[in-house]
Amino acid sequence: MKTNKEFSLSTMSLPSSPSLVNYSNAFNIGNIGSAIFSSLLNTVIAVPLIIICSFIIGYFFSRIEFKGKQVMVMLFLSGMMIPIHALLVPLFVQFKWMGMLDNRFTLILPYIAFHLPVAIFLFDSFIKGISKEIEEAAYMDGSSFDYMMFRVIFPICLPIMSTVAILSILGTWNEFSFALVLNKSSELFTLPIWLTFFSGQYTTDYTGKIAGLVITSLPIIVMYLFFSNKIMTGMTAGAVKG
């Protein structure tokens, strides 16, 4: 709420004349409407797919024994040990070869892949803590496998589902590197890329950029404040057996 002159004189002092002009100017920098749409689109599509895919895979890992299961478990969980930024160049080359660069849906597949390992691990640990007698009772009542899985077990997984959703939203909304490299069209830029418009070759609009940071961060901060308890509940759920 300060002018650039006030900010340069003292970054920590309170503004002498608080003003919202930085926020109005922020909405005129770049194409914020397109950036908001791109970030929302990536989040709205990627997060439900992460939840569904990780639930299905986590359920099979926790309940069903099959040949090669341990190899698949290690394959998925190895994704937790690989720094995702080490995959930036290989992914760029692969997407360029496949003609998938600079597309409205370019970022969705990487975002799903990056969040699956942790989500699968969380669902696997949680489902192992659910009594198998619930599934046996559902079978005794004539339930089919898919009905039992999605109508009986899936609702029980609400705590861990909330955790996966919040972590996925945070990661997808704030991701910068892949959004910068894989998309070049300005209409496809996400909000983290939009924030770079406040910096020029010789100068930076610091007060405008801080206002832009508030605009970008506010939805996530509000969501986290309301649902932070769900993260701890989901992370500790299934940790203690018996």
Side-chain angles (χ1 to χ4, degrees):
M1 296 184 181
K2 298 162 69 170
T3 63
N4 273 310
K5 182 179 179 180
E6 283 186 298
F7 181 81
S8 61
L9 291 174
S10 176
T11 58
M12 300 301 294
S13 64
L14 295 175
S16 58
S17 300
S19 173
L20 297 177
V21 67
N22 289 321
Y23 291 92
S24 62
N25 291 339
F27 279 93
N28 297 323
I29 299 294
N31 191 350
I32 186 174
S34 178
I36 292 174
F37 177 77
S38 296
S39 293
L40 283 175
L41 181 71
N42 293 334
T43 303
V44 168
I45 295 179
V47 172
L49 289 175
I50 292 169
I51 293 174
I52 294 173
C53 293
S54 57
F55 166 72
I56 294 174
I57 298 172
Y59 180 83
F60 275 82
F61 283 169
S62 63
R63 285 292 195 257
I64 300 176
E65 295 295 330
F66 55 90
K67 189 176 181 180
K69 173 182 173 180
Q70 293 303 318
V71 175
M72 293 186 66
V73 170
M74 292 302 300
L75 179 65
F76 276 106
L77 296 186
S78 63
M80 298 172 62
M81 298 180 287
I82 301 174
I84 62 171
H85 296 100
L87 304 175
L88 186 57
V89 174
L91 193 63
F92 174 82
V93 174
Q94 183 181 11
F95 272 40
K96 183 178 181 180
W97 178 75
M98 298 173 63
M100 295 176 60
L101 292 175
D102 210 29
N103 185 282
R104 179 64 72 182
F105 302 99
T106 296
L107 297 172
I108 293 174
L109 286 178
Y111 288 170
I112 294 173
F114 296 155
H115 291 92
L116 271 182
V118 173
I120 291 172
F121 173 78
L122 292 173
F123 270 109
D124 179 28
S125 300
F126 185 86
I127 294 173
K128 284 179 179 177
I130 300 176
S131 175
K132 292 184 179 181
E133 281 77 9
I134 296 176
E135 296 161 76
E136 294 171 358
Y139 284 130
M140 290 294 292
D141 290 338
S143 172
S144 61
F145 177 78
D146 56 343
Y147 185 93
M148 178 275 304
M149 192 163 132
F150 287 101
R151 295 296 185 91
V152 178
I153 302 300
F154 193 65
I156 299 176
C157 295
L158 183 59
I160 202 65
M161 198 187 313
S162 302
T163 301
V164 170
I166 293 170
L167 295 177
S168 300
I169 290 172
L170 290 173
T172 302
W173 188 268
N174 295 322
E175 201 283 320
F176 178 84
S177 301
F178 287 86
L180 178 65
V181 172
L182 299 182
N183 283 334
K184 290 298 182 183
S185 300
S186 59
E187 63 270 15
L188 300 178
F189 286 162
T190 57
L191 283 172
I193 308 301
W194 169 76
L195 289 172
T196 63
F197 293 160
F198 292 92
S199 300
Q201 184 176 1
Y202 301 107
T203 184
T204 298
D205 181 7
Y206 288 105
T207 56
K209 192 166 190 175
I210 293 172
L213 285 167
V214 173
I215 294 171
T216 304
S217 305
L218 194 58
I220 299 299
I221 293 173
V222 171
M223 182 199 70
Y224 186 82
L225 290 175
F226 277 99
F227 299 103
S228 59
N229 62 315
K230 294 292 184 181
I231 294 182
M232 296 308 301
T233 301
M235 292 292 285
T236 56
V240 180
K241 303 293 189 298

